[in-house]
Amino acid sequence: MFKCNATIVTMLKASMKSKVFIYDSSAKQNLMLNELRQIWRYRDLVFFLVRRDLTARYKRSILGVAWTMLNPLGMMVILSIVFSQVFRVKIEGYPAFVLSGLLCWNFFSQVSSAIIYSLVWGGDLYNRIYLPRSAFAISAIGTGLVNIVLSLVPLVLVMIVIHVPIKLTILLVPLVMFLLALFTLGVGLLISTIGIYFTDIVEMYGIVLMAWMYITPVIYPLDILPDKIRQLIQFNPMVYIVDLFRMLVFYGIFPSAQTWIIGAIVSVGAFLVGWYIFTGKSNEFAYRT
Amino acid sequence: MNLPTALNSNNIIALANIGDNDSVVILENVTVRYRVPKEQVRTFKEYAIRRIKGEINHVEFLALNDVSLNIMRGEVFGLIGPNGAGKTTLLRLVAQVMRPTQGRVIVVGRVAPLLAMGAGFHPELTGRENVFLNGALLGYTRRQIEERFEWIVDFAEMWDFIDTPLRTYSSGMMARLGFAVATAVMPDVLIVDEVLSVGDIAFQEKSAARIHEFREAGATILLVSHSMDAVKKMCNRAAWLDHGKIRALGPADEVVEGFEEYMIIQTI
């Protein structure tokens, strides 16, 4: 055994000098960092996947990319009618209020579902060629980010039309989008990992998302809730992210340091947990499909 | 030296050669063990109930059982054996799609699996867009694809259709484009599953010639096939896998003859 190992070592060294990539299945490596490295190596793939998602989705529709903006607008119109006519809720500038919440929420629900779908059902490709498994998740985030940025255009238009003042705080919105992306990626990877072992989780997630939306102040403001429920709701991480987004865009106020810190901890924490569990288990996925 | 049982003298020579830096694929006592539940339990509820009752029964299935193998640079190596012998699992290990349960796999250089031709092709995208996406899936950088783009379209004979959506292509055209992308950049190790049957006869010859080019240029080729003639004709050495173990390893014609004799006895 010794001789064999020694010769492998010399071989590895020789090849390292000539910059040949060597794959060693038993090399000890930090799985979390290694996946990051691989994603960087495959960054062009992420770019092409985002471009595929964007072009493929709209290629055969007449209005094309405009649908990205029309969809939330349609929802905004419906919700505005329901809330002002049926529930008779009076909120200043409700259409812009609900639209800003919807953009945030749609990003989270659509992107996390897309991640889970591609990782749990997209197994065939991973069985044939090596890819960093998180590439599809990262590209789903990329697609979502393009969509949410595009949707800011109709949001600003709505604000102008209904006379909601646009403040400079809106320039800080990329920061919240970054936190939102981290949180979504973390949740998506976590659910996917469980979903590979138990497919039921994937079905369940759709229902969970619906309930989750109602315990997040997306279509109503936090302060209409009774105190008791509000205290419970503070354990919902999405509250802080939606809050940050809405303060910057809709209210035009700079969120308190406390909100920022909680938002950052929740997002970075979700990402780290998701990334850790996903990369830790990813070597087993090939045995599962 | 922990030599596995199924080796013959040929392989000992091979092991001795590692010092010359000539091994490209090394499998050291590799075992792949799938745990297959006796009954498929995929729902959480079912799992929980059975777990409590202690009814989770797993059957251990050894796809590969203590396999050691050395493949040399520039070699055309054949893998033969009946279905379920572990050929695909071995390819997956070399393609780095999965890691062994036990043992070690070392691969020097870039592996191109011809198992994934046209992987990720999207019908709504144009041929050109698909070339870039498919190339990126195979691990090329955008720059590499740009450099090889002309060659790819030339080789696939696709200039007239490269900017039309893929859904308008015939299956032969898609296969040609997939093959061209997969072989655009010379790999160190090329994995070929089954004899190439891409497109019409003219293109089949063309693709065989392309693989021959790689071979001339020093690439290592790992061929899995049920066609014994192809293995005899193309390979220097071959391994006969049976139930996850190497049953014979050596010059391709000898291994193939041994396998064929065995199969005849089996069928009688």
Side-chain angles (χ1 to χ4, degrees):
Chain A
M1 207 63 212
F2 175 75
K3 186 187 160 243
C4 187
N5 280 337
T7 47
I8 287 172
V9 168
T10 49
M11 190 188 76
L12 295 183
K13 277 182 185 160
S15 305
M16 258 172 217
K17 275 179 206 151
S18 55
K19 282 186 183 169
V20 174
F21 177 76
I22 295 189
Y23 163 78
D24 181 354
S25 68
S26 61
K28 287 273 171 291
Q29 55 192 354
N30 182 321
L31 292 170
M32 287 174 86
L33 284 180
N34 189 51
E35 185 75 12
L36 275 181
R37 237 176 268 134
Q38 291 298 333
I39 276 293
W40 179 246
R41 214 161 69 84
Y42 276 80
R43 58 191 181 278
D44 287 339
L45 171 63
V46 174
F47 171 81
F48 289 126
L49 285 171
V50 170
R51 203 179 66 173
R52 177 196 69 179
D53 288 348
L54 293 173
T55 49
R57 184 166 163 203
Y58 299 117
K59 229 168 194 178
R60 287 174 95 169
S61 69
I62 297 162
L63 291 173
V65 184
W67 279 116
T68 311
M69 308 179 202
L70 292 175
N71 259 327
L73 275 182
M75 266 176 94
M76 174 199 81
V77 169
I78 293 165
L79 285 165
S80 300
I81 293 168
V82 170
F83 272 76
S84 60
Q85 302 301 314
V86 183
F87 296 118
R88 306 204 176 274
V89 179
K90 283 261 179 291
I91 300 167
E92 199 68 40
Y94 183 77
F97 172 90
V98 76
L99 187 54
S100 59
L102 275 178
L103 293 190
C104 234
W105 180 261
N106 284 350
F107 177 94
F108 173 70
S109 69
Q110 285 167 9
V111 173
S112 61
S113 305
I115 289 175
I116 293 163
Y117 185 83
S118 71
L119 286 171
V120 177
W121 305 120
D124 183 47
L125 200 55
Y126 303 120
N127 283 337
R128 295 193 289 167
I129 45 175
Y130 169 78
L131 288 174
R133 279 180 186 255
S134 57
F136 283 92
I138 309 268
S139 77
I141 296 280
T143 309
L145 284 174
V146 172
N147 284 337
I148 197 175
V149 168
L150 284 176
S151 313
L152 284 178
V153 176
L155 175 61
V156 168
L157 287 179
V158 166
M159 286 170 72
I160 292 170
V161 169
I162 61 171
H163 304 297
V164 176
I166 295 161
K167 302 268 178 63
L168 276 177
T169 48
I170 201 170
L171 295 175
L172 286 171
V173 115
L175 259 177
V176 186
M177 288 184 188
F178 177 69
L179 295 181
L180 176 63
L182 281 182
F183 181 75
T184 308
L185 185 58
V187 172
L189 291 178
L190 186 66
I191 308 281
S192 309
T193 312
I194 304 170
I196 283 166
Y197 293 88
F198 303 106
T199 324
D200 291 41
I201 297 289
V202 180
E203 302 295 332
M204 227 186 274
Y205 186 67
I207 304 164
V208 169
L209 266 182
M210 196 165 150
W212 198 342
M213 177 169 158
Y214 284 103
I215 57 164
T216 309
V218 176
I219 55 177
Y220 59 83
L222 199 54
D223 47 27
I224 67 162
L225 292 175
D227 277 351
K228 224 178 179 177
I229 297 174
R230 257 168 81 179
Q231 273 172 3
L232 281 175
I233 260 180
Q234 62 179 332
F235 295 106
N236 170 9
M238 275 304 283
V239 170
Y240 302 95
I241 296 170
V242 171
D243 218 24
L244 282 172
F245 188 85
R246 193 172 268 151
M247 278 194 215
L248 292 175
V249 179
F250 177 72
Y251 293 112
I253 46 174
F254 189 79
S256 66
Q258 195 197 350
T259 321
W260 277 113
I261 290 167
I262 295 175
I265 289 174
V266 158
S267 313
V268 176
F271 167 72
L272 287 177
V273 169
W275 194 260
Y276 175 74
I277 290 178
F278 179 76
T279 54
K281 287 280 175 202
S282 65
N283 284 336
E284 284 178 34
F285 293 170
Y287 284 81
R288 285 271 157 188
T289 41
Chain B
M1 204 59 237
N2 192 2
L3 274 180
T5 47
L7 298 185
N8 62 19
S9 58
N10 221 309
N11 197 255
I12 297 170
I13 298 166
L15 281 170
N17 271 344
I18 303 178
D20 307 334
N21 302 332
D22 264 355
S23 289
V24 180
V25 178
I26 303 172
L27 270 71
E28 249 185 27
N29 308 103
V30 165
T31 296
V32 172
R33 183 184 303 116
Y34 293 105
R35 284 183 76 203
V36 191
K38 254 187 187 155
E39 301 131 279
Q40 189 76 336
V41 184
R42 288 286 283 209
T43 72
F44 187 72
K45 185 182 134 200
E46 217 181 312
Y47 181 83
I49 292 169
R50 281 162 188 253
R51 186 87 210 214
I52 293 162
K53 287 187 182 167
E55 272 181 9
I56 296 281
N57 290 321
H58 288 282
V59 182
E60 301 226 317
F61 170 66
L62 288 172
L64 289 176
N65 187 358
D66 199 25
V67 168
S68 294
L69 193 62
N70 263 279
I71 301 174
M72 302 289 133
R73 187 176 306 281
E75 202 172 25
V76 181
F77 192 93
L79 272 180
I80 56 173
N83 286 329
K87 302 187 298 288
T88 306
T89 304
L90 202 151
L91 290 190
R92 286 165 84 189
L93 290 173
V94 176
Q96 296 151 39
V97 168
M98 73 189 305
R99 285 165 196 274
T101 321
Q102 274 158 32
R104 190 178 189 188
V105 178
I106 296 176
V107 182
V108 180
R110 196 177 72 86
V111 181
L114 281 194
L115 323 158
M117 285 186 286
F121 269 180
H122 195 288
E124 289 301 325
L125 300 183
T126 66
R128 182 188 301 271
E129 287 165 330
N130 271 303
V131 165
F132 278 88
L133 178 64
N134 183 230
L137 279 166
L138 296 175
Y140 303 151
T141 61
R142 166 182 244 196
R143 200 195 204 128
Q144 277 176 312
I145 306 168
E146 277 163 1
E147 280 168 12
R148 298 298 289 156
F149 187 76
E150 293 231 330
W151 181 90
I152 291 169
V153 186
D154 274 341
F155 190 88
E157 298 159 29
M158 211 58 105
W159 281 111
D160 294 340
F161 306 98
I162 198 65
D163 287 311
T164 53
L166 209 78
R167 68 186 140 84
T168 64
Y169 285 25
S170 71
S171 57
M173 285 158 84
M174 271 190 243
R176 263 152 54 195
L177 198 61
F179 182 88
V181 178
T183 57
V185 180
M186 187 178 119
D188 298 288
V189 181
L190 185 73
I191 296 178
V192 186
D193 197 352
E194 271 309 319
V195 180
L196 291 165
S197 49
V198 176
D200 55 18
I201 293 170
F203 194 79
Q204 276 178 34
E205 277 170 14
K206 207 171 162 183
S207 51
R210 179 68 179 156
I211 288 178
H212 194 71
E213 259 176 67
F214 282 159
R215 195 181 154 182
E216 298 282 289
T220 309
I221 296 168
L222 186 54
L223 173 74
V224 170
S225 180
H226 287 291
S227 157
M228 294 303 129
D229 286 337
V231 174
K232 260 200 250 183
K233 212 169 81 188
M234 292 178 71
C235 301
N236 315 99
R237 285 201 302 148
W240 165 12
L241 279 174
D242 192 17
H243 290 97
K245 279 193 170 282
I246 294 184
R247 224 177 135 124
L249 179 83
D253 38 0
E254 284 175 26
V255 175
V256 167
E257 272 160 31
F259 177 63
E260 278 174 337
E261 270 169 35
Y262 174 78
M263 289 307 275
I264 290 166
I265 295 166
Q266 289 288 299
T267 45
I268 293 168

